[in-house]
Amino acid sequence: MADGTTPEPIQQLRAHLATIADLRAAAAVLRWDQETYMPPAGAAGRAEQLGTLMRLAHELLVSPRTRELLAAAEAVLDRLDPDSDDARIVVMTRRDYDRASRLPPEFVAARARHASASVQIWREARRRNDFPAFRPALAQMVELVRREADYLGYAEHPYDALLDHYEPGMTSRQVEALFARLREATVPLVRAIAHRGAPDDSFLYGEFDIQQQRAFGLEVAQAFGYDLRRGRLDESTHPFATAFHPDDVRITTRYSRYLPSALFAIFHEAGHALYEQGIPPQLARTCLGRGASLGFHESQSRLWENLVGRSRPFWAHYYPRLLELFPSLRGVDLDRFYRAVNRVQPSLIRVEADEVTYNLHIMLRFDLERHLVEGTLAADELPDAWREKMQAYLGITPPTDAEGVLQDIHWASGSVGYFPTYTLGNVISVQLYEAARRDHPGLPEDIGRGQFGTLLGWLRDRVHRHGRKYLPADLLRRATGSDLTPDPYLRYLDSKFGEIYGLGIGQTARRP
């Protein structure tokens, strides 16, 4: 309203939404515990608990009470600034209500129970390299997501209904067009780099003390702006970030004999956490109290991991500190280290892929899960299809299913439609960074001094403070002044890796 007060109908709607948000946060705590500390035998009980919480949250959202409160709130919308928090809460609640009301509560509970149980089955199957043990759970999950798409409805492809959950407003047709453009530029770049040969990175493998890895990762994450009073770092099979509230945002990593693996995972998840910690308190416990989309969320993690954490200025500042913690690297100069952590070489594992080949991993998964959803690929055919796609896209074949089809948690948890958001995040990250540099040309110098406040402040103002007020396309235009385009991202790859591999700017990624 003109005087800034919240109308009574919207106050009542906010109070109702807070209960739903609390139930979902409680479920998120249980999922975090499942990935970090829960004993293996707790899987069955945890599946029931999650099913109950998700059913209750869903029933509250689609209840007659929500419909009544929403109608009353919509009746006062014309008295509000369309961009105000109150107005956007009403608009986004309507979107959520219309979508959720198509899903029967018993289906939501069954899906949540199966996702929890399926993740535990996947974890053990991955450890044992035993895809047949996971296949029945996967087949059931595929059937559940097909039913979900049918319940939600779609205009062109069932995948669109699932994708909209993670990237509202995006369609598989748009994703296909973007991926085709990226493929056209990336494949020649990969080939050009292959002719130059990959730099030696053998010194990055060894017995690096885990506590020292943790210490360095947290030191950097805190320098980025991650507030440990409102967060923590733990270990999990698959690194992730989760938020229960802007004041409780947690990240995980996993440690291995390859030093960059855990470090860059921490940088990556810290990017997600910065987004959640930057959401204003007044949006907490509402439908706006999270990121605009997973593509936008991924843009934050990839920006801090790659555009900052893999940059030459960053390591010019932090490499001496790394040498203090890991003396075995002291015979490796900065340039050699920088080239090693930016090594481009087709690899088996998505989360350890380089910046240039990473999107090929995503395209592979996008192709396969669309076929799973439309029924042209069966779950038992997936390992062979995975190997064929890996050979076609990256020129390598995984020797085991653990290094192939079993490597990601997403299909086990039912997150079908999620994978494209990783590549969308890559593209958006460079658009945001270029816009930030236009406003603050000295950003690279700031990074070279280990000062990240200007960049974080820009992101807080242009992205974080809005939470989920706007659909992704609208938020991107507001933040950068342009629609989604791969051009800045392709220029970035061309420039950075052209310099590293001596290819010459503009010679590697020919664009229409």
Side-chain angles (χ1 to χ4, degrees), residues 203-204 208 212 259 318-337:
F203 54 86
L204 296 175
F208 296 100
Q212 298 286 60
L259 177 61
Y318 273 104
Y319 194 49
R321 175 59 176 151
L322 195 73
L323 294 180
E324 290 178 9
L325 296 174
F326 303 105
S328 64
L329 296 175
R330 287 178 181 168
V332 179
D333 65 29
L334 172 61
D335 187 67
R336 187 179 170 205
F337 178 85

Side-chain angles (χ1 to χ4, degrees), residues 70-145:
L70 188 53
E74 288 173 329
V76 300
L77 264 182
D78 59 356
R79 295 154 54 188
L80 302 174
D81 176 352
D83 281 338
S84 67
D85 293 348
D86 287 339
R88 297 308 300 173
I89 284 172
V90 177
V91 171
M92 296 306 286
T93 299
R94 167 58 67 186
R95 190 181 200 280
D96 292 346
Y97 174 82
D98 287 347
R99 178 182 172 91
S101 61
R102 300 169 192 152
L103 299 173
E106 61 274 14
F107 171 79
V108 172
R111 192 187 189 287
R113 283 195 299 270
H114 183 67
S116 180
S118 177
V119 164
Q120 288 300 113
I121 295 169
W122 163 79
R123 185 176 290 110
E124 182 62 19
R126 181 176 180 270
R127 185 185 68 81
R128 294 168 46 199
N129 184 38
D130 186 2
F131 179 80
F134 175 55
R135 183 176 56 214
L138 175 61
Q140 186 175 346
M141 182 55 76
V142 170
E143 179 58 31
L144 285 168
V145 298

Side-chain angles (χ1 to χ4, degrees), residues 264 267-272 296-306 422:
F264 285 113
F267 300 171
H268 180 102
E269 302 307 337
H272 285 301
F296 252 94
H297 238 300
E298 195 65 17
S299 77
Q300 303 306 286
S301 59
R302 300 299 275 184
L303 190 156
W304 290 100
E305 176 193 358
N306 292 331
Y422 288 112

Side-chain angles (χ1 to χ4, degrees), residues 158-332:
Y159 191 86
D160 293 349
L162 305 170
L163 176 63
D164 187 75
H165 178 67
Y166 305 105
E167 200 62 27
M170 180 70 71
T171 67
S172 55
R173 184 187 295 272
Q174 292 172 307
V175 172
E176 282 184 277
L178 176 66
F179 282 7
R181 180 84 177 280
L182 293 174
R183 227 179 350 253
E184 181 180 11
T186 301
V187 171
L189 179 56
V190 173
R191 289 173 181 165
I193 289 172
H195 287 302
R196 298 285 179 162
D200 173 45
D201 68 347
S202 59
F203 54 86
L204 296 175
Y205 292 83
E207 298 302 327
F208 296 100
D209 183 80
I210 287 177
Q211 291 307 312
Q212 298 286 60
Q213 293 185 53
R214 174 185 169 85
F216 181 80
L218 276 179
E219 181 179 325
V220 171
Q222 288 180 278
F224 288 168
Y226 182 45
D227 184 355
L228 283 181
R229 297 172 305 162
R230 302 187 290 151
R232 56 180 291 131
L233 170 66
D234 292 283
E235 189 173 352
S236 65
T237 304
H238 193 101
F240 69 97
T242 188
F244 316 135
H245 185 277
D247 291 333
D248 190 351
V249 185
R250 309 182 187 190
I251 64 174
T252 72
T253 192
R254 65 182 178 200
Y255 301 96
S256 72
R257 297 187 73 256
Y258 180 60
L259 177 61
S261 179
L263 301 185
F264 285 113
I266 292 172
F267 300 171
H268 180 102
E269 302 307 337
H272 285 301
L274 290 172
Y275 194 175
E276 294 292 337
Q277 287 187 340
I279 291 173
Q282 65 268 25
L283 299 186
R285 302 176 75 220
T286 76
C287 61
L288 307 184
R290 58 184 188 272
S293 71
L294 289 189
F296 252 94
H297 238 300
E298 195 65 17
S299 77
Q300 303 306 286
S301 59
R302 300 299 275 184
L303 190 156
W304 290 100
E305 176 193 358
N306 292 331
L307 302 179
V308 175
R310 293 186 193 270
S311 71
R312 194 182 290 273
F314 173 87
W315 285 110
H317 177 79
Y318 273 104
Y319 194 49
R321 175 59 176 151
L322 195 73
L323 294 180
E324 290 178 9
L325 296 174
F326 303 105
S328 64
L329 296 175
R330 287 178 181 168
V332 179

Side-chain angles (χ1 to χ4, degrees), residues 30 37 45 62 77 98 123 128 187 219 230 250 310 339 361 375 389 418 424 454 468 495 500 507 511:
L30 292 183
Y37 296 111
V62 302
L77 264 182
D98 287 347
R123 185 176 290 110
R128 294 168 46 199
V187 171
E219 181 179 325
R230 302 187 290 151
R250 309 182 187 190
R310 293 186 193 270
R339 291 174 183 275
H361 287 266
K389 287 284 186 182
Y418 191 128
L424 291 171
T454 300
R468 190 175 164 249
S495 175
I500 290 174
Q507 297 180 15
R511 295 177 291 279

Side-chain angles (χ1 to χ4, degrees), residues 1-11 14 76 79-81 84 86-87:
M1 296 177 67
D3 61 2
T5 60
T6 298
E8 179 63 25
I10 296 180
Q11 291 182 32
R14 275 178 171 265
V76 300
R79 295 154 54 188
L80 302 174
D81 176 352
S84 67
D86 287 339

Side-chain angles (χ1 to χ4, degrees), residues 275 295-304 307 424-440 443 455 458-464 472 474-485 488-489:
Y275 194 175
F296 252 94
H297 238 300
E298 195 65 17
S299 77
Q300 303 306 286
S301 59
R302 300 299 275 184
L303 190 156
W304 290 100
L307 302 179
L424 291 171
N426 283 333
V427 172
I428 294 169
S429 72
V430 182
Q431 278 190 256
L432 291 173
Y433 186 74
E434 281 202 355
R437 279 197 65 179
R438 288 195 297 271
D439 291 343
H440 303 285
L443 279 181
L455 177 57
W458 189 92
L459 292 168
R460 288 273 194 258
D461 179 63
R462 298 299 183 94
V463 178
H464 302 175
D474 189 13
L475 181 59
L476 185 62
R477 281 191 294 271
R478 289 168 179 265
T480 69
S482 62
D483 293 324
L484 181 70
T485 171
Y489 178 66

